Amino acid sequence: MKNLIYKELTLSINKFFFIIPFVLAALMFIPNWIFTLVFMYFFWISVPQIFSSYLANADYQFSSSLPVRRKDIVLSKSYALMILEGLHIVSAVIFGIIHNAIYGSWNFFFDINLAFFGVGIQMYAVFNIIFLPMYFKTAHFFGKATLYGTIATLIYGFIFEFGVARYQFMRDLFEGNITTQIIVFCSTIGLAAILNFIAIKQSEKRFMRVDL
Amino acid sequence: MYSLDIKNLSKTYPSFKLDDVSFSIPQGYIMGFIGENGAGKTTTIKSMLNVIKRDCGDIIIFGRHIDEDELAIKSDIGYVSGESYYPKKTIREITKIVKRFFTNWDDALYQSLLKRFNLNEKKRIDELSKGMQLKYLITVALSHHAKLLILDEPTSGLDPVARDDLLAVFQSIVENEEASILFSTHITSDVEKVADFVTFIKQGKIIESCSKDELIDKYRLVNGTKEELPAIKDRLISYKTNVFGFNGLIKTSDVDHQDTVKVGQPSLDDIMIYYANKEASI
């Protein structure tokens, strides 16, 4: 398992995708912006390229020549995806802190705060639960899965960004005091963990039936 | 002791069925797995390695069932699918990853094989010829002391010199490493050169699985005049007519001493071709 994750991170996924989270996180410097968009670039740029490279490099043929379990192939690819998502979050946190130091924390849309990052982590989980099981149904076609995942996250992002800008109760909930933010952060993290767990289990189940 | 023992392997697709495939390879021998394109060679190989899910059947490798001990069994197998992967990566980059998966990886052996096959670690996979790519895949398979090599169409697309070279490698592997080899091909002359055993598959069914000599002895090539055809026609597996008469394939046991036709020894090619013509001509 450890070896498969190492393979994903060093051979299968191009280094470019480990650099781009830091480059894209610089978008956090834009004043008064819809910052959930920063997380979404991952779905638009990295995901299609990474999953098309599995095809181009005959990655599953390569994996089948190795002594590995099918279940571990799914796990390693899912973990690698989550590691990249984590990198996007970490780099957004770093640039977000700098943003707040320069411009202050107020934003017309969702502020950059603890609750915002919780919502961001959960957004990745929403994408994962749609994308991963749909992709591992064939371990080949990734277009429809990416499209559905992307649409879901656009709706998800819109709900939070528009809600906070339009409704006071949402602003109070997501941009309230630190205690409220911690509660939101912890609940979103908890929900994200559940969604990711279900996404992996579903993907494993579907991948077992795939003829490579 | 069998290196590989397949019993009643079946897999059904909407337009193709792998039907009750059974055969076995004794340890230390080479088996050629022959059949025309689309006969089910790759499906059989992939099914027995769990690359595609089989409907039923038992796969026993080194005396262990693949479903019970898949990881340990796969560690002892060198599987070469014939497809190259990660074409833009260098040999060194790929080997660095692959060796982590095998506890019995032998670096000294790997280096000596690289030297023997004249492979440069700095070269990218797509810079190698098809023959060299195969040699690299075989190097990887041998460097973890695989006891069973499974090669899917390894000689297809190679020129005669490269094919001959590769077949010599197969023979030296069996002699020096005491490994067994199963290689699928539709180039029967390769099988005639190196294989000890032959398994012949047609439309998903095993037609024959025995030693090469036994297989050739089981059949006879006959040719005769048009007048001689009616007497033997029903016993022929298939036949072709021409201006002089006919040529056909018959089971040795079906040859009658009263037959006036000329009887000769067939090649594996003849056996495969006449079986392929079976439905068309009779």
Side-chain angles (χ1 to χ4, degrees):
Chain A
M1 182 61 202
K2 197 176 71 188
N3 292 331
L4 268 175
I5 295 174
Y6 181 81
K7 173 209 148 257
E8 287 301 316
L9 301 180
T10 56
L11 184 77
S12 307
I13 301 174
N14 195 289
K15 289 177 190 72
F16 170 78
F17 299 107
F18 295 94
I19 297 164
I20 203 158
F22 294 97
V23 177
L24 288 173
L27 290 167
M28 301 292 273
F29 286 147
I30 300 172
N32 270 311
W33 199 45
I34 302 169
F35 292 109
T36 45
L37 286 173
V38 175
F39 301 129
M40 291 185 193
Y41 281 99
F42 176 67
F43 316 132
W44 306 337
I45 298 171
S46 307
V47 170
Q49 304 239 30
I50 290 169
F51 284 83
S52 65
S53 77
Y54 288 146
L55 275 182
N57 290 318
D59 180 81
Y60 289 100
Q61 280 76 11
F62 176 61
S63 300
S64 8
S65 70
L66 301 169
V68 292
R69 289 187 194 92
R70 274 180 170 241
K71 195 179 98 172
D72 291 340
I73 295 176
V74 173
L75 273 177
S76 63
K77 291 199 188 303
S78 305
Y79 286 165
L81 194 76
M82 288 167 196
I83 287 169
L84 285 174
E85 290 168 348
L87 269 181
H88 276 272
I89 295 287
V90 169
S91 45
V93 168
I94 295 165
F95 284 91
I97 291 169
I98 302 170
H99 169 279
N100 284 356
I102 296 170
Y103 306 110
S105 63
W106 188 87
N107 184 29
F108 179 76
F109 295 100
F110 205 152
D111 286 357
I112 301 170
N113 59 22
L114 200 56
F116 167 78
F117 290 113
V119 166
I121 290 166
Q122 193 176 262
M123 182 162 72
Y124 282 131
V126 167
F127 178 81
N128 293 347
I129 200 167
I130 293 167
F131 176 80
L132 289 174
M134 206 181 259
Y135 169 72
F136 280 111
K137 205 172 170 181
T138 61
H140 182 89
F141 299 114
F142 60 89
K144 203 157 92 175
T146 311
L147 202 65
Y148 285 9
T150 304
I151 291 168
T153 50
L154 279 168
I155 295 167
Y156 175 92
F158 172 81
I159 291 169
F160 284 95
E161 293 287 358
F162 177 77
V164 166
R166 178 77 177 80
Y167 302 107
Q168 190 56 44
F169 80 93
M170 279 190 75
R171 200 171 274 279
D172 292 343
L173 183 63
F174 294 101
E175 296 180 352
N177 58 39
I178 190 70
T179 317
T180 329
Q181 284 182 36
I182 289 171
I183 292 167
V184 171
F185 181 76
C186 293
S187 358
T188 47
I189 292 272
L191 199 56
I194 294 166
L195 290 179
N196 280 330
F197 178 78
I198 297 169
I200 290 173
K201 287 291 157 203
Q202 278 287 340
S203 305
E204 282 174 1
K205 215 163 114 186
R206 290 182 174 189
F207 188 63
M208 292 307 279
R209 296 193 289 259
V210 173
D211 287 340
L212 295 173
Chain B
M1 169 79 175
Y2 290 119
S3 291
L4 171 68
D5 189 11
I6 300 176
K7 290 172 187 161
N8 315 110
L9 172 65
S10 294
K11 169 80 183 174
T12 307
Y13 289 108
S15 57
F16 177 76
K17 190 178 180 195
L18 199 63
D19 195 5
D20 213 18
V21 168
S22 301
F23 64 88
S24 45
I25 310 174
Q27 198 171 338
Y29 288 95
I30 300 177
M31 176 179 274
F33 190 28
I34 61 168
E36 57 195 294
N37 290 326
K41 302 186 292 293
T42 301
T43 309
T44 304
I45 288 175
K46 286 189 169 181
S47 298
M48 68 195 205
L49 293 174
N50 277 347
V51 177
I52 56 180
K53 302 304 282 183
R54 62 187 187 279
D55 298 336
C56 62
D58 293 310
I59 314 296
I60 316 288
I61 300 176
F62 314 121
R64 293 170 290 179
H65 199 290
I66 189 124
D67 291 343
E68 288 158 14
D69 219 354
E70 187 173 349
L71 281 194
I73 287 173
K74 282 191 170 176
S75 299
D76 287 337
I77 289 177
Y79 168 49
V80 177
S81 70
E83 293 167 84
S84 58
Y85 30 71
Y86 288 99
K88 295 293 174 194
K89 299 286 182 185
T90 62
I91 287 180
R92 181 174 286 154
E93 284 172 309
I94 295 180
T95 303
K96 193 180 150 198
I97 300 297
V98 172
K99 66 199 275 191
R100 298 172 68 98
F101 288 88
F102 297 98
T103 45
N104 47 351
W105 181 267
D106 186 339
D107 234 358
L109 178 62
Y110 171 72
Q111 290 301 334
S112 75
L113 287 167
L114 283 184
K115 210 174 271 178
R116 178 180 167 187
F117 293 146
N118 214 9
L119 287 160
N120 182 349
E121 271 199 297
K122 288 176 190 157
K123 281 207 169 183
R124 289 199 318 261
I125 298 298
D126 64 357
E127 287 175 327
L128 304 173
S129 67
K130 180 104 196 295
M132 292 303 269
Q133 285 179 11
L134 267 165
K135 282 181 179 175
Y136 168 61
L137 295 175
I138 290 168
T139 299
V140 168
L142 292 177
S143 298
H144 61 89
H145 296 286
K147 291 184 215 151
L148 171 65
L149 280 182
I150 298 173
L151 307 115
D152 192 8
E153 306 266 4
T155 55
S156 308
L158 297 185
D159 63 68
V161 178
R163 267 172 40 212
D164 195 60
D165 193 21
L166 202 66
L167 295 176
V169 171
F170 288 178
Q171 277 178 319
S172 71
I173 290 167
V174 171
E175 283 162 19
N176 304 328
E177 297 283 325
E178 292 173 3
S180 308
I181 297 177
L182 171 71
F183 78 102
S184 73
T185 184
H186 54 262
I187 307 168
T188 51
S189 58
D190 292 345
V191 175
E192 288 189 54
K193 275 183 194 165
V194 296
D196 306 297
F197 291 88
V198 180
T199 294
F200 175 28
I201 189 169
K202 183 180 184 296
Q203 290 174 352
K205 283 187 180 174
I206 298 295
I207 304 291
E208 295 286 356
S209 186
C210 53
S211 77
K212 185 176 64 188
D213 297 337
E214 203 181 319
L215 176 66
I216 291 170
D217 275 349
K218 271 187 185 178
Y219 295 91
R220 283 292 172 261
L221 203 59
V222 293
N223 65 75
T225 61
K226 277 181 185 167
E227 290 72 35
E228 287 171 319
L229 181 60
I232 199 169
K233 192 177 168 181
D234 292 341
R235 286 176 282 145
L236 294 176
I237 288 158
S238 77
Y239 64 92
K240 288 173 187 170
T241 53
N242 55 46
V243 286
F244 305 108
F246 76 96
N247 294 309
L249 187 76
I250 190 169
K251 285 204 170 176
T252 308
S253 55
D254 289 339
V255 177
D256 194 322
H257 67 278
Q258 287 177 330
D259 286 330
T260 52
V261 292
K262 283 179 191 160
V263 180
Q265 198 180 51
S267 64
L268 289 176
D269 237 5
D270 294 325
I271 297 170
M272 206 162 94
I273 290 166
Y274 280 103
Y275 260 107
N277 290 336
K278 195 175 176 182
E279 280 80 24
S281 61
I282 293 182

